[in-house]
């Protein structure tokens, strides 16, 4: 940040489809760019995980066009997604498989340079450490949302003062096509991203994600259908 940039934050109590909770808002004013960047971090009482959003406010005095908002991104060498000790041992499951009740469907595996891209949600599991993660958007108001990651052993993220390795790249992104015009003084906020870590195969977290998505979209049940399939495929021997 240079001297003109302004950073501010505040915390408030909120309530919504997931119940009562706490929301942290972080604002970064960039007068030279003509925008205010927003980050929202929310925790809900008696609910697991964390909810993330980002947004932008136009203070330029003229319309601007927004093609993408990214609530979460981590990339080596400055950061990464860490689940186990080495992402080569992790598996990822894309949303394409959530609605297919077929235990023979392959998981996207580690080893070599591997990539994963999913519409709306993705699940990760590391068998040696018995840790997992479900990352998924629980709203779908205006954007096409994707979860993507890459593991390149030659460029793996490294945890400081540790031998632990992470995914080279992770991004949870909302794309707008065509890019909407944002009038001066107006704001645009991304879809809401849920991050649900697990201690074991993330079967319960997939069900929780489905319940969160259903509650946030006034639907009775949007629980993924492949919960047991994922657990059976990924459970340690």
């Amino acid at each position: 940040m240079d001297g003109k940039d302004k950073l501010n934050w505040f915390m408030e109590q909120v309530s919504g489809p997931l119940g009562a909770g706490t929301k942290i808002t972080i604002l970064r004013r960039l007068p030279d760019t003509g925008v205010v960047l927003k980050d929202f971090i929310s925790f809900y009482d008696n609910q697991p995980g964390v909810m993330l959003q980002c947004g932008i406010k136009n203070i330029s005095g003229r319309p601007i066009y927004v093609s993408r908002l990214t609530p979460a991104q981590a990339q080596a060498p400055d950061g990464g997604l860490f689940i186990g000790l080495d992402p080569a041992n992790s598996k990822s499951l894309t949303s394409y498989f959530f609605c297919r009740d077929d235990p023979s469907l392959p998981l996207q595996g580690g080893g070599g340079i591997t990539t994963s891209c999913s519409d709306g949600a993705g699940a990760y599991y590391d068998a040696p450490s018995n840790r997992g993660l479900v990352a998924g958007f629980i709203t779908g108001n205006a954007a096409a949302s994707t979860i993507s990651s890459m593991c390149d052993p030659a460029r793996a993220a490294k945890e400081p003062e540790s031998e632990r390795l992470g995914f080279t790249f992770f991004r949870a992104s909302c794309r707008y096509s065509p890019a909407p015009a944002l009038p001066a003084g107006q704001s645009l906020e991304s879809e809401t991203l849920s991050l649900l870590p697990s201690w074991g195969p993330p079967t319960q977290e997939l069900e929780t994600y489905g319940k969160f998505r259903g509650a946030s979209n006034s639907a009775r049940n949007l629980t993924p259908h492949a919960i047991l399939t994922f657990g059976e495929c990924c459970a340690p021997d």
Side-chain angles (χ1 to χ4, degrees):
M1 295 175 57
D2 61 32
K4 297 180 182 179
D5 298 347
K6 302 294 183 181
L7 183 66
N8 191 21
W9 70 276
F10 60 90
M11 185 168 58
E12 60 185 325
Q13 300 302 304
V14 296
S15 62
L18 301 185
T22 301
K23 182 178 182 179
I24 300 171
T25 299
I26 303 170
L27 304 174
R28 184 180 178 186
R29 186 181 182 92
L30 306 176
D32 289 344
T33 309
V35 299
V36 176
L37 301 181
K38 307 178 181 183
D39 287 289
F40 308 100
I41 306 170
S42 300
F43 304 88
Y44 289 91
D45 299 345
N46 303 314
Q47 300 285 17
V50 60
M51 311 300 149
L52 303 179
Q53 272 186 291
C54 68
I56 186 171
K57 181 177 181 180
N58 181 7
I59 58 171
S60 69
R62 65 183 189 282
I64 62 174
Y65 293 85
V66 181
S67 60
R68 184 174 71 188
L69 292 173
T70 303
Q73 179 170 312
Q75 183 173 354
D78 299 318
L81 172 64
F82 294 86
I83 297 177
L85 295 178
D86 189 333
N89 299 320
S90 299
K91 305 290 184 178
S92 62
L93 186 71
T94 66
S95 61
Y96 170 74
F97 297 130
F98 283 2
C99 58
R100 294 286 302 278
D101 188 17
D102 182 354
S104 67
L105 286 171
L107 295 171
Q108 310 304 301
I113 299 177
T114 58
T115 60
S116 174
C117 187
S118 175
D119 292 334
Y124 298 85
Y125 178 62
D126 180 83
S129 66
N130 202 27
R131 301 290 185 270
L133 173 71
V134 173
F137 287 92
I138 61 174
T139 62
N141 298 316
S145 303
T146 58
I147 307 291
S148 57
S149 61
M150 182 185 71
C151 173
D152 180 355
R155 296 186 294 129
K158 297 181 180 180
E159 193 173 62
E161 301 180 2
S162 169
E163 296 182 357
R164 190 182 186 195
L165 301 178
F167 284 78
T168 309
F169 176 86
F170 172 82
R171 175 188 287 166
S173 186
C174 302
R175 293 184 177 273
Y176 301 88
S177 181
L182 188 62
Q186 298 297 306
S187 297
L188 177 66
E189 296 178 1
S190 73
E191 309 296 347
T192 300
L193 172 71
S194 64
L195 296 178
L196 300 167
S198 70
W199 296 74
T203 53
Q204 180 60 49
E205 287 69 28
L206 281 170
E207 185 169 355
T208 298
Y209 164 72
K211 291 178 179 178
F212 283 179
R213 186 170 174 86
S216 301
N217 292 275
S218 301
R220 283 188 176 183
N221 186 5
L222 289 178
T223 303
H225 297 302
I227 294 173
L228 294 180
T229 298
F230 182 83
E232 292 165 1
C233 289
C234 289
D237 295 333

